[in-house]
Amino acid sequence: MKHELFSHVILTQDLPEAGLCRGDLATVVEQYPGAAGQESGYELEVFNAVGDTGAVVSVRESQVEAPRQDERFCVRQAAGIVG
């Protein structure tokens, strides 16, 4: 597995069914090894700006990447969330 449990990852594509966008930060909460010829996968938890869980999703390894030192976080309105 490329990403360790509880590490931060960045989505590399939109997940509209979960209200998530490319670039959103998530935390790895489970790892799923791929069968022969299949990609590994992850269960991710995505939090809002105050630390509440906004979504839990399953993704393929190709749908996430590690944060890079030259990146900066920003805040956006979460779709469908009313506070």
Side-chain angles (χ1 to χ4, degrees):
M1 288 270 148
K2 182 177 177 179
H3 303 287
E4 298 295 322
L5 283 176
F6 309 114
S7 65
H8 290 140
V9 294
I10 307 296
L11 294 177
T12 60
Q13 67 183 64
D14 294 343
L15 299 176
E17 66 281 358
L20 301 174
C21 295
R22 180 180 185 271
D24 283 350
L25 177 70
T27 301
V28 176
V29 294
E30 189 58 75
Q31 300 170 318
Y32 302 112
Q38 289 185 327
E39 232 179 317
S40 297
Y42 301 97
E43 190 85 13
L44 306 178
E45 188 167 4
V46 181
F47 299 93
N48 66 15
V50 296
D52 299 324
T53 299
V56 177
V57 294
S58 297
V59 298
R60 296 180 312 277
E61 190 162 353
S62 62
Q63 293 177 290
V64 295
E65 63 186 11
R68 296 186 310 260
Q69 191 171 11
D70 65 342
E71 295 175 319
R72 191 174 293 163
F73 294 111
C74 64
V75 177
R76 68 174 180 81
Q77 183 73 40
I81 305 285
V82 177

